Amino acid sequence: MIATTEIRALDVSPAQPETQPPYISAASGLVCVGSHIYVVADDALHLGVFSAGTSEPGYEIRLFSGDLPVNKAERKREKPDLEAITFVPAFHGYSYGALLAFGSASRPNRARGVLIGLDRHGAVCGSPEELDMAPILGSLHRTFPELNIEGATVVGDELLLCQRGNKRHIDNAVIRFPLLPALAALRGSNTAALAPSDIMKVDLGSIEGVPLCFTDAASLPNGDVVLCAVAEDTNDAYLDGRCVGGAIGIVDKHGRLLSLHQLEQPYKVEGISAHIVNDTLDLLLVTDADDPAIPAKLLSASFAL
């Protein structure tokens, strides 16, 4: 079992737009770059930006134009469903790297992504570039009955996406793409479909009979990947369900599960960032309570490797 510590609620100031609460409620992806903590939410059009080491409110950067309905059901139908965010090291046009965020692709309107440049200090620099995920999705829709991308990370020259299963289709998988060709396809410079270089299915077991399914990923220096997962009592990629527990796992480059640790409390953790200090893995996690009245939380956890 892994104990977690609550660091803060993900409050932002000022709220954007005024009709929305002054906090992120459905945090779904997390990445840390320098002293900056970046969070995407699956029910929002903005990126949350927070500073490590302070409890001051964060702020939001708009990623997509328009507004989402306030009504929960209508919002769920129309949202871009951003579920994953990762850091991409420097490449052509982005001298200091960029943030890359993805929708879940579980519905046609959820197949957008965004690329946001960073400066030398890891702060957002410039305007977001909207991406079309279609060139990398074709073969995935044929492979998975219910495609649901919930995590992303970069390992060396590869982009890894995490497919999240559910009770009906237990299809947890780590999907590998060559990084630069994937970026070219997403940005429209190469519109030909890009097939993954590998798909590795991973069995995480279950809690109380509910399968553990991926919610995010982060890379480790040796090429292994640390994953967060939850056991959510739902039969599809659209409807929410009761979260009966969460876990942290590590898989190697072959998709083999090296370790799995259940969280002491049944947080619905949907974002993870990892950092190794000596032989200890230090984690930051963000939560989604599936309730717009409850702010998302930033948690910390650690365990010995």
Side-chain angles (χ1 to χ4, degrees):
M1 288 282 187
I2 297 177
T4 55
T5 300
E6 182 178 336
I7 297 175
R8 59 169 297 164
L10 294 181
D11 53 321
V12 293
S13 178
Q16 293 186 31
E18 293 181 0
T19 55
Q20 300 305 314
Y23 53 80
I24 292 172
S25 66
S28 56
L30 166 70
V31 67
C32 297
V33 185
S35 62
H36 304 278
I37 299 173
Y38 295 107
V39 178
V40 288
D42 67 22
D43 68 343
L45 302 172
H46 298 80
L47 173 72
V49 184
F50 303 87
S51 180
T54 177
S55 59
E56 293 296 315
Y59 62 94
E60 295 180 308
I61 295 174
R62 178 173 283 278
L63 299 179
F64 299 113
S65 61
D67 294 301
L68 292 174
V70 175
N71 176 271
K72 184 177 180 180
E74 294 176 2
R75 192 181 190 92
K76 189 177 185 69
R77 283 193 297 270
E78 296 185 24
K79 66 185 185 179
D81 202 32
L82 288 174
E83 290 284 359
I85 185 169
T86 188
F87 171 71
V88 180
F91 61 101
H92 181 69
Y94 291 88
S95 301
Y96 300 103
L99 302 176
L100 177 62
F102 288 111
S104 67
S106 60
R107 292 290 188 276
N109 63 307
R110 299 178 174 186
R112 290 186 288 171
V114 66
L115 195 64
I116 319 144
L118 302 177
D119 66 16
R120 68 176 67 243
H121 304 293
V124 168
C125 178
S127 300
E129 176 184 349
E130 189 168 331
L131 309 174
D132 181 2
M133 296 172 64
I136 68 170
L137 295 180
S139 63
L140 300 184
H141 280 297
R142 294 189 293 271
T143 302
F144 299 103
E146 292 190 12
L147 187 61
N148 189 14
I149 303 300
E150 292 265 342
T153 191
V154 171
V155 178
D157 59 358
E158 290 187 304
L159 172 66
L160 276 57
L161 303 182
C162 292
Q163 157 70 12
R164 177 181 177 180
N166 55 61
K167 287 179 67 178
R168 183 171 55 181
H169 298 292
I170 310 174
D171 286 328
N172 288 311
V174 177
I175 305 161
R176 294 179 179 270
F177 288 95
L179 176 59
L180 293 181
L183 289 172
L186 290 164
R187 300 177 73 188
S189 56
N190 180 4
T191 57
L194 180 67
S197 55
D198 195 14
I199 296 177
M200 304 174 296
K201 295 191 176 182
V202 183
D203 183 358
L204 298 176
S206 62
I207 298 175
E208 297 180 16
V210 180
L212 279 163
C213 297
F214 293 153
T215 55
D216 200 13
S219 59
L220 299 178
N222 66 352
D224 291 345
V225 176
V226 57
L227 302 143
C228 56
V230 299
E232 185 175 7
D233 195 1
T234 182
N235 288 317
D236 63 38
Y238 187 81
L239 297 176
D240 298 322
R242 181 176 69 94
C243 178
V244 300
I248 306 298
I250 298 177
V251 299
D252 67 11
K253 63 181 180 180
H254 303 293
R256 294 179 298 208
L257 184 63
L258 303 178
S259 65
L260 185 71
H261 307 267
Q262 187 174 337
L263 300 179
E264 282 188 353
Q265 294 179 272
Y267 285 114
K268 187 181 179 185
V269 290
E270 294 226 359
I272 188 168
S273 174
H275 180 62
I276 295 178
V277 179
N278 297 322
D279 293 324
T280 298
L281 183 61
D282 290 336
L283 304 173
L284 290 179
L285 306 160
V286 288
T287 67
D288 176 4
D290 286 330
D291 184 341
I294 300 177
K297 296 176 180 179
L298 178 67
L299 311 174
S300 66
S302 64
F303 61 90
L305 292 172

